[in-house]
Amino acid sequence: MDLMQLKEKYKEIQTLDKIPTFLIPKKDLLEVSKNLKENGFDFLMDLCGLDYFGESERFEVVYLFFSSKNYERVRLKVRTNDGVPSIVSIYKGADWFEREVYDMFGVKFEGHPDLRRILTGDYFKGHPLRKDYPAGKRWRCTEEDVYKPTLKEEEGKELEEILINIGPSHPSTHGTFRLLTKLDGEVIKWMDAEIGYLHRCFEKMSETHIYQQVIPYTDRLNYCSSFLNNVGYCKAVEEMLGIEIPERAKIIRVILGELSRIMDHLVCLAANIVDIGALTNYWYLFQPREEIYTILEKCCGARLTVSYCRIGGLSKDVPEDFKEMVEYVLKITPPLLNDVDKLISKNPIFLKRTQNVGKISQEEAIAYGWTGPCLRASGIPYDVRKAYPYYFYDEFDWDIPVGTKGDTYDRYQVRMEEMRQSLKIVEQALKRLKPGPVLIDDPRIVLPPREEVYNTMEGLIYNFEKVMFGLKVPKGEYYGFTEGANGELGFYIVSDGSTKPYRVRVRPPCFAIYQAFPKMMVGQMVADAVAVLGSLNIIAGELDR
């Protein structure tokens, strides 16, 4: 079924993002999903829920499909009061996304192979993203509530199997998540991932705050590159408002965004290589990271969670020595990357630990919904900055690094080359950085200058309105997306025309990637699990939200 057939058969809904959107009956969901996949929409980019409390059909399940060949998108919506058919049999990547909607809204997915809570736990009562669930409600988790699987002995065998926990507090997990692993010797026979230890219900909190107040919450998603989260969210709201931010603000967003991408990759590779046993590289890789943190700190006063973006631009201009600081990072980083290359890229121990380890094919990566460096390591050259250019990315000279095998070594090499490409982008962007404003001059959207607030009645009124009530965003829905450090970072925002979002859904790249990990590791050595996990760069804040 192509888009023309969808338009002929189902009601098309007009959206702010212009993505073809259709409301279909749940009895047709499996057939339409299967037809979409057969017609090139091979990618389930996102799946989420909404609660229209008080309506005859309360819940809406939203599916965003994507074609990795021609970069088309289509959105399906299904209304229900209880449940809808599971599409896991068609799209593997629907597994965790359906579990999340079940956990957050209570919508059941008929035919799902393992429908249980994923971000909360069995002890949790109610479904937190329902509109009638109090935002401040908490439930105590006791030791008895901790997930304990039931092991079944394999038929006809008496294996000396043991169950071990990797995490949730473990140096090789780089975050608070737990891998329950059944071993036969050192071979992994079964693995289950338990997440949610860092779940803050970002999406619920976004509903209870005005649009500007959501920005600090985005910092806590991928905290290794928080500025990129700021950009993704603010860009989506700006596009809903139909505003164009100043060119200087765009260029600064590019420079700091690419430096944040480099910083994220540096953390990923440094920790991954240390896990495998090579410590020296850690010091080489963390030096430019610290220099980038210094730049961010001088721009906004914060290092980790920066909250530097504003809807309409940036909170303030960069410091006078910004160009010199960036040039220094451009100067010191390439030699340090080259040193790591010399130490690692042909090291026989590193090659044995990474080559042909944790392989995932192009087909499997697409089936699970992978994006970012992990997808590109499998040979798929999808990058939002090239496919849907924004902020002059189509005017810069840079390439998309891709791998061939999709193994741990390719993921290392792709990130190494992506850092070099980001340095090229930063160098070109720095040459385009011209004097000018970094925030739009529109009192309906941004806070007026302090001088106006203190000296004019209009300035005082605008300031009071923005601080107390916030800005109003046009009614409608919009999916804005950028290239985060781990892949496509999407913000699906539904506005009811008020000063608070009706719904903010974040499409976290880590979530789609990590759901494949337990299946990838069955039959592999437990030591390989540590090497592979580090190469996926799972950030718990982004994973759990």
Side-chain angles (χ1 to χ4, degrees), residues 173-400:
T173 58
H174 310 296
T176 48
F177 39 87
R178 178 188 185 200
L179 290 162
L180 290 88
T181 309
K182 185 166 68 172
L183 301 179
D184 178 18
E186 292 190 36
V187 177
I188 297 170
K189 305 296 290 184
W190 170 89
M191 180 182 280
D192 188 27
E194 186 184 21
I195 66 175
Y197 289 90
L198 206 57
H199 176 59
R200 305 172 312 284
C201 217
F202 161 85
E203 297 174 9
K204 184 73 170 182
M205 293 300 100
S206 298
E207 295 176 8
T208 63
H209 290 71
I210 61 176
Y211 283 90
Q212 297 98 319
Q213 290 174 330
V214 176
I215 296 170
Y217 287 127
T218 67
D219 286 323
R220 277 82 181 162
L221 296 171
N222 185 346
Y223 36 70
C224 290
S225 50
S226 61
F227 183 79
L228 286 171
N229 306 328
N230 291 178
V231 172
Y233 171 74
C234 288
K235 180 174 174 290
V237 179
E238 288 157 0
E239 288 167 349
M240 292 182 79
L241 291 164
I243 61 175
E244 189 83 13
I245 67 172
E247 181 174 328
R248 181 173 174 86
K250 290 180 182 179
I251 293 295
I252 293 171
R253 283 186 181 185
V254 168
I255 293 170
L256 293 180
E258 292 307 313
L259 289 178
S260 295
R261 190 184 317 279
I262 292 169
M263 189 165 60
D264 197 288
H265 288 356
L266 289 169
V267 174
C268 170
L269 295 183
N272 192 201
I273 296 170
V274 166
D275 289 343
I276 296 171
L279 179 62
T280 307
N281 307 272
Y282 187 94
W283 315 122
Y284 287 121
L285 294 174
F286 260 57
Q287 186 176 341
R289 172 182 178 265
E290 289 303 308
E291 296 298 336
I292 296 169
Y293 268 146
T294 300
I295 295 174
L296 287 167
E297 186 177 21
K298 203 158 186 182
C299 286
C300 64
R303 289 165 62 82
L304 188 69
T305 51
V306 294
S307 297
Y308 186 37
C309 282
R310 291 294 180 271
I311 297 168
L314 301 167
S315 65
K316 62 179 74 174
D317 206 346
V318 294
E320 291 183 1
D321 57 348
F322 177 75
K323 185 177 180 181
E324 290 74 19
M325 289 191 296
V326 174
E327 287 175 340
Y328 179 69
V329 170
L330 293 175
K331 177 184 175 182
I332 68 164
T333 305
L336 293 168
L337 294 180
N338 292 338
D339 286 340
V340 173
D341 248 343
K342 293 173 186 175
L343 285 167
I344 289 295
S345 296
K346 295 182 180 179
N347 184 296
I349 299 174
F350 183 74
L351 296 180
K352 287 182 179 179
R353 293 297 310 276
T354 58
Q355 287 187 335
N356 298 312
V357 174
K359 290 175 65 174
I360 188 166
S361 66
Q362 294 182 9
E363 295 75 21
E364 284 288 287
I366 289 172
Y368 280 111
W370 285 26
T371 54
C374 292
L375 176 67
R376 294 190 281 272
S378 295
I380 306 292
Y382 174 63
D383 189 309
V384 175
R385 295 169 295 171
K386 285 278 191 185
Y388 305 91
Y390 57 95
Y391 298 165
F392 312 113
Y393 275 111
D394 53 338
E395 299 177 23
F396 297 129
D397 177 27
W398 62 285
D399 300 313
I400 301 176

Side-chain angles (χ1 to χ4, degrees), residues 297-545:
E297 186 177 21
K298 203 158 186 182
C299 286
C300 64
R303 289 165 62 82
L304 188 69
T305 51
V306 294
S307 297
Y308 186 37
C309 282
R310 291 294 180 271
I311 297 168
L314 301 167
S315 65
K316 62 179 74 174
D317 206 346
V318 294
E320 291 183 1
D321 57 348
F322 177 75
K323 185 177 180 181
E324 290 74 19
M325 289 191 296
V326 174
E327 287 175 340
Y328 179 69
V329 170
L330 293 175
K331 177 184 175 182
I332 68 164
T333 305
L336 293 168
L337 294 180
N338 292 338
D339 286 340
V340 173
D341 248 343
K342 293 173 186 175
L343 285 167
I344 289 295
S345 296
K346 295 182 180 179
N347 184 296
I349 299 174
F350 183 74
L351 296 180
K352 287 182 179 179
R353 293 297 310 276
T354 58
Q355 287 187 335
N356 298 312
V357 174
K359 290 175 65 174
I360 188 166
S361 66
Q362 294 182 9
E363 295 75 21
E364 284 288 287
I366 289 172
Y368 280 111
W370 285 26
T371 54
C374 292
L375 176 67
R376 294 190 281 272
S378 295
I380 306 292
Y382 174 63
D383 189 309
V384 175
R385 295 169 295 171
K386 285 278 191 185
Y388 305 91
Y390 57 95
Y391 298 165
F392 312 113
Y393 275 111
D394 53 338
E395 299 177 23
F396 297 129
D397 177 27
W398 62 285
D399 300 313
I400 301 176
V402 293
T404 55
K405 294 182 178 180
D407 57 10
T408 299
Y409 186 75
D410 275 2
R411 290 188 281 273
Y412 155 76
Q413 288 284 20
V414 163
R415 284 192 175 89
M416 286 290 284
E417 186 55 34
E418 280 195 5
M419 287 190 283
R420 295 187 173 102
Q421 295 300 320
S422 288
L423 289 169
K424 284 178 63 177
I425 294 170
V426 171
E427 187 176 7
Q428 294 169 74
L430 205 56
K431 293 175 182 176
R432 293 187 60 156
L433 186 62
K434 297 179 175 62
V438 295
L439 197 62
I440 61 168
D441 184 16
D442 189 339
R444 297 170 304 164
I445 294 168
V446 303
L447 290 172
R450 292 292 93 187
E451 295 77 15
E452 290 186 19
V453 176
Y454 297 143
N455 297 296
T456 69
M457 182 59 70
E458 291 82 1
L460 182 62
I461 292 171
Y462 278 129
N463 188 79
F464 178 81
E465 286 182 340
K466 290 294 158 296
V467 171
M468 295 302 295
F469 307 114
L471 61 91
K472 289 186 177 181
V473 173
K475 188 175 181 179
E477 58 191 278
Y478 193 91
Y479 178 74
F481 52 102
T482 54
E483 184 67 29
N486 280 325
E488 179 167 316
L489 176 65
F491 288 91
Y492 176 54
I493 303 173
V494 179
S495 169
D496 59 3
S498 70
T499 59
K500 294 179 182 178
Y502 186 81
R503 175 85 166 95
V504 175
R505 158 68 180 175
V506 59
R507 190 265 175 197
C510 276
F511 195 72
I513 293 168
Y514 191 44
Q515 68 174 324
F517 178 69
K519 299 175 182 68
M520 291 168 63
M521 287 296 98
V522 173
Q524 307 301 307
M525 304 287 281
V526 68
D528 292 337
V530 173
V532 176
L533 181 61
S535 74
L536 300 180
N537 195 34
I538 306 302
I539 307 298
E542 180 181 282
L543 178 71
D544 291 351
R545 287 150 288 139

